[in-house]
Amino acid sequence: MKILVGGQPREVRVLFSEEQIHNRIVEIAAEINSCPTPDQSALVVLVVLHGALLFAADLVRHIAMPTEIESVRIRSYHGTQSTGKIELLSQLPARLKGRHVLVVEDIIDSGRSIAFLRNELNSLGVASMRVAALLDKPEAHEETIQADFVGFKIGRNFVIGYGLDLDGHYRNLPYVAEVLGS
Ligand code: IMP
Ligand code: MG
């Protein structure tokens, strides 16, 4: 398949199929289930919108402990390049204070979004914060951050599908594909 990136046609290649994603999510959920909250309180899954929408929806179905779902909207990307600036497009729910929070992200690239959220959540006074990311680009990290649960490590190429977008498009693809040479 070819898509247009900035007016230029680019080849797209499937990296992870629907089945591979499903199987990995079941494994990640098992890891999460093996680390219950220390005080048995409900886990609060904080979905980072819109990218993590599909991942979170599939992941929570396999989490076997009391779970609540909250969301936050942040934005850091325009096209295939990070702007380096994080915008909070919705307020963090105040009820996260004192709670054990699992941030669910689609992908970690520079790590700035997670570093930003860590700061915000610390200021809010959460009891703990852990991070589950479907995808991680270790070579692109600019912040020293580490996700507690990672689906797949990938290279630097831009990826689309399964929640991940290119200027708002392609989130609905059931697989993750990379844009070659991006
Ligand atoms: P970071 O703050 O640089 O780690 O970027 C994280 C955010 O940028 C993710 O939550 C995504 O929304 C977006 N992003 C980073 N890499 C990609 C990509 O390859 N495809 C689509 N979105 C991406
Ligand atoms: Mg995102």
Side-chain angles (χ1 to χ4, degrees), residues 14 20 24-25 39 49 70 77 88 111 123 125-126 142 169 171:
V14 175
Q20 280 175 298
R24 187 65 188 120
I25 284 178
D39 53 6
L49 295 175
E70 290 288 351
Y77 249 78
L88 199 50
S123 311
V126 297
E142 285 170 24
H169 297 276
R171 291 193 198 276

Side-chain angles (χ1 to χ4, degrees), residues 28-36 43 59 63 65 102 130 132 149:
I28 298 170
E31 285 179 49
I32 293 170
N33 291 334
S34 68
C35 318
L43 179 71
L59 182 67
I63 296 184
M65 68 183 93
L102 177 68
R130 285 180 299 166
F149 312 98

